[in-house]
């Protein structure tokens, strides 16, 4: 059996590799995939104790599975949270936060610059059941303060944002939320716990799409919610058990090995992205580069304080319009033309006609997403090969 080490006392790189695995009597070194839907009890009495929660242990893999539990325990430690619950996708994790915490009559205050489906989730689905949502400019603290209401259940942000890579002040927003009796929810997909720890800055809930950097190689879809014991026990776990958007043990197993290399990969991703952003700034056909590592970025100082590196998504505006942006994208030969991100493979996309194509031109203008904007999720290929691929079109 595994030694009972206090994983809280270890550093994140070590937790990412070793925490969460409860070795079975088979003495396996690598964590197994438990492909079982149900579990067998020693007696009728034990079954009853498990079902009523009086005795801990596995019951049914919709809400208890050892491989999924290992992933949850490891990610909770890495995010400095008390508990983590895994879900079938990032959207299922965000849905769980809403289903667990909101009721008719509640209000959500959401950043304008969040994942498109997150906007639809709050507006179209929670909206149907009597929850209202207002959208606020991510970096404008006065706007958050002004828009908060007595019935605001939580503030919801992504930082850095997509695709303009703006940075929100997590500590300041947590303070605004708490002063008004609300919570702060942070989508930490772009940074991962390697670069940013929202819970240590005052956030109450972190959500993840494990599909991105946690997997890191574009294989599986999954998500997670990390929060205090109280929030998980009272609001999230009962919803997971009833709602059933469960992470499969196979996907949990892939994510566990993804976590093992997360620190290394994030450092390499960030180094490549920083160097590419500096290089892009010097290209005559590039008008503006959005990357928080650059001194030209409006929240450069905040990013330095809040994150330990600047992330691996870079966006830039070309001289010209949509035609020039599409020409650049089409002239690449190696980069993948896809809106996905967080992969070892570098991806390139035109936000105005893909991820943000459903917005009206006015909404796009308000969000600052121009027709000449190109977004790159910088992968781990050799930097010179990435630059050369872009040079064709620059
Ligand atoms: C991809 C993504 C999501 C949704 O995650 P899925 O795993 O695709 O459901 C949520 N937030 C951000 C920032 C994302 O990039």
């Amino acid at each position: 059996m595994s030694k009972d080490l206090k994983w809280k006392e270890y550093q994140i790189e070590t937790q990412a590799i070793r925490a969460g695995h409860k070795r079975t009597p088979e003495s396996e070194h690598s964590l197994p995939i438990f492909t079982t839907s149900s579990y067998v009890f020693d007696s009728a009495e034990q079954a009853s104790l498990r079902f009523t929660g009086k005795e801990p242990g596995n019951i049914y893999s919709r809400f208890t599975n050892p491989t999924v539990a290992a992933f949850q325990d490891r990610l909770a430690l890495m995010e400095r949270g008390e508990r983590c619950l895994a879900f079938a996708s990032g959207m299922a994790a965000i849905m769980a936060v809403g289903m667990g915490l909101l009721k008719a009559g509640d209000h959500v205050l959401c950043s304008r610059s969040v994942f498109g489906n997150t906007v639809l989730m709050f507006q179209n689905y929670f909206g149907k059941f009597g929850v209202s949502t207002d959208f606020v400019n991510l970096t404008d603290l006065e706007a958050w303060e002004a828009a908060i209401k007595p019935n605001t259940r939580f503030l919801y942000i992504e930082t850095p944002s997509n695709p303009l890579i703006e940075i929100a002040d997590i500590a300041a927003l947590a303070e605004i939320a708490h002063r008004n009796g609300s919570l702060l929810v942070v989508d930490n997909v772009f940074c991962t716990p390697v670069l940013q720890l929202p819970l240590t800055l005052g956030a109450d809930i972190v959500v993840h799409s494990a599909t991105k950097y946690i997997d890191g190689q574009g294989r599986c879809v999954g998500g997670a919610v990390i929060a205090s014991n109280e929030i998980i026990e009272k609001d999230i776990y009962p919803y997971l058990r009833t709602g059933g958007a469960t992470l499969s043990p196979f996907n949990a197993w892939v994510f566990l090995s993804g976590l093992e290399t997360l620190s290394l990969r994030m450092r390499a991703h960030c180094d490549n992205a920083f160097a590419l952003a500096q290089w892009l700034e010097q290209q005559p056909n590039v008008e503006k580069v959005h990357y928080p590592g650059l001194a030209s970025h409006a929240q450069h100082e905040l990013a330095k304080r809040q994150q330990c590196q600047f992330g691996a998504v870079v966006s830039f505006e070309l001289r010209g319009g949509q035609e020039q942006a599409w020409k650049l994208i089409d002239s690449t030969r190696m980069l993948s033309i896809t809106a996905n991100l967080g992969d070892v493979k570098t991806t390139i996309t035109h936000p105005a006609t893909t991820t943000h194509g459903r917005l009206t031109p006015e909404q796009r203008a308000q969000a600052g997403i121009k027709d000449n904007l190109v977004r790159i999720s910088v992968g781990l290929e050799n930097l010179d090969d990435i630059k050369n691929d872009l040079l064709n079109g620059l």
Side-chain angles (χ1 to χ4, degrees):
M1 301 297 261
S2 48
K3 294 173 200 129
D4 206 12
L5 300 176
K6 289 197 177 69
W7 290 116
K8 254 199 181 117
E9 293 165 9
Y10 289 76
Q11 302 295 319
I12 191 167
E13 294 85 354
T14 311
Q15 293 169 338
I17 289 170
R18 291 188 172 271
H21 181 186
K22 294 191 181 74
R23 196 166 290 149
T24 76
E26 300 293 347
S27 314
E28 77 283 352
H29 195 198
S30 172
L31 192 137
I33 310 175
F34 284 88
T35 54
T36 177
S37 50
S38 67
Y39 304 84
V40 179
F41 309 110
D42 293 338
S43 64
E45 190 197 6
Q46 188 187 44
S48 152
L49 291 173
R50 291 268 175 97
F51 267 84
T52 51
K54 287 180 188 131
E55 178 190 298
N58 296 312
I59 302 170
Y60 184 61
S61 280
R62 188 185 335 108
F63 47 98
T64 56
N65 178 278
T67 314
V68 175
F71 170 66
Q72 293 174 160
D73 292 349
R74 187 175 290 183
L75 187 56
L77 282 159
M78 293 173 71
E79 281 285 359
R80 306 293 180 257
E82 287 176 351
R83 285 277 296 282
C84 167
L85 284 181
F87 288 88
S89 68
M91 290 318 301
I94 296 166
M95 177 81 171
V97 170
M99 290 300 275
L101 268 74
L102 297 170
K103 61 179 188 316
D106 281 349
H107 174 248
V108 173
L109 203 49
C110 187
S111 158
R112 222 185 281 288
S113 317
V114 293
F115 194 63
N117 286 298
T118 305
V119 173
L120 297 179
M121 170 93 71
F122 289 126
Q123 222 166 29
N124 296 4
Y125 292 96
F126 286 108
K128 275 209 304 199
F129 299 104
V131 173
S132 61
T133 301
D134 284 313
F135 295 91
V136 181
N137 184 342
L138 178 67
T139 59
D140 184 350
L141 288 176
E142 281 167 22
W144 287 92
E145 186 91 59
I148 201 162
K149 299 179 184 179
N151 59 338
T152 303
R153 185 73 172 101
F154 56 74
L155 277 50
Y156 188 100
I157 62 165
E158 278 168 30
T159 179
S161 71
N162 179 26
L164 290 178
I165 331 293
E166 291 179 311
I167 309 291
D169 189 332
I170 296 175
L173 286 172
E175 197 274 321
I176 292 173
H178 296 160
R179 186 152 35 77
N180 288 277
S182 333
L183 304 174
L184 176 65
V185 183
V186 179
D187 178 327
N188 204 24
V189 168
F190 271 50
C191 275
T192 82
V194 172
L195 304 187
Q196 171 172 281
L197 293 166
L199 298 176
T200 67
L201 297 168
D204 302 281
I205 300 176
V206 163
V207 294
H208 267 291
S209 165
T211 318
K212 312 295 166 51
Y213 291 105
I214 290 179
D215 177 319
Q217 297 181 53
R219 298 161 296 190
C220 292
V221 174
V225 176
I226 301 102
S228 66
N229 239 330
E230 192 191 337
I231 290 175
I232 295 286
E233 236 3 270
K234 194 161 93 12
D235 301 312
I236 312 293
Y237 174 77
Y239 170 73
L240 171 67
R241 189 164 172 166
T242 304
T246 306
L247 182 67
S248 84
F250 176 79
N251 287 10
W253 179 81
V254 171
F255 296 149
L256 277 158
S257 55
L259 288 177
E260 290 173 7
T261 57
L262 186 65
S263 300
L264 274 178
R265 283 187 288 109
M266 289 313 288
R267 267 180 253 150
H269 273 294
C270 293
D271 291 347
N272 254 2
F274 201 167
L276 188 73
Q278 288 172 320
W279 178 80
L280 281 168
E281 237 183 3
Q282 281 155 17
Q283 300 308 306
N285 286 329
V286 173
E287 214 163 64
K288 185 176 170 60
V289 180
H290 300 268
Y291 187 72
L294 301 173
S296 59
H297 189 281
Q299 293 104 30
H300 176 59
E301 289 305 319
L302 173 60
K304 272 208 294 206
R305 221 170 42 235
Q306 190 165 277
Q307 304 173 201
C308 60
Q309 276 184 282
F310 300 107
V313 183
V314 180
S315 61
F316 56 98
E317 291 162 25
L318 286 165
R319 290 194 200 290
Q322 178 181 322
E323 192 192 335
Q324 279 67 31
W326 278 22
K327 236 175 85 189
L328 169 69
I329 292 170
D330 290 341
S331 70
T332 60
R333 288 146 51 104
M334 176 183 77
L335 304 195
S336 312
I337 305 177
T338 167
N340 197 27
L341 60 96
D343 197 299
V344 288
K345 299 187 181 90
T346 299
T347 66
I348 187 164
T349 192
H350 183 241
T353 52
T354 58
T355 50
H356 295 72
R358 281 181 291 181
L359 301 183
T360 64
E362 294 73 42
Q363 285 174 320
R364 267 200 301 280
Q366 198 183 18
I369 298 161
K370 298 187 190 162
D371 288 341
N372 61 351
L373 186 77
V374 173
R375 191 201 74 188
I376 294 184
S377 164
V378 184
L380 300 184
E381 303 97 335
N382 183 288
L383 181 63
D384 289 334
D385 289 330
I386 300 173
K387 286 182 192 168
N388 283 335
D389 212 37
L390 287 166
L391 262 185
N392 295 331
L394 284 173

